[in-house]
Amino acid sequence: MEKRSRCPRPPGAPRWVAMFHQPSQDSWAVAAESPYRAPVLYAVGDMAQTVRARGAEVTVALWGPKDGSWHLYDTPAAKAAAPAAPAASTGSGEPEKLAERMTDRRHQVLMAGLSRAGLYDLSPEDGEALRVLADRLDEPTARRVAHWLSSAGGGER
């Protein structure tokens, strides 16, 4: 198991702050901050996706206010996701590129719905389930599912 330094408390007045661990320097860096929790969690989800897409491990600490002082909140343990296998080629390339773009669009629509529902940091298993859904749904159905998720998310968290 990798040893890493404990995440330090952010400076200043309590607010919502996400800090990412930088293994190469064994240090923590502020990745997002806001007076509100939802934008910070949204940013964490986007950043975690990017880091995982690069094949790296994600370690995040979420600090926020509690009873007027700083509190370190639990964040899900993040493991590197296995990269998706490339699509098989059947010849000309154009139909495959179009199909891939449409699947990517459906994936983005579903990710947006999950984010609005409050699910920001997905596990590798969640990511695989999302890829399967994006492959199987047509775009209007994906948008409908995203709308349901968004509606279920409700207000500010």
Side-chain angles (χ1 to χ4, degrees), residues 71-93:
H71 179 73
L72 179 60
Y73 289 86
D74 288 334
T75 54
K79 300 276 184 201
S89 178
T90 59
S92 71

Side-chain angles (χ1 to χ4, degrees), residues 94 96-106:
E94 276 307 307
E96 290 86 13
K97 286 182 181 180
L98 177 60
E100 186 177 331
R101 278 198 307 265
M102 293 308 291
T103 298
D104 288 347
R105 279 181 58 144
R106 291 187 302 270

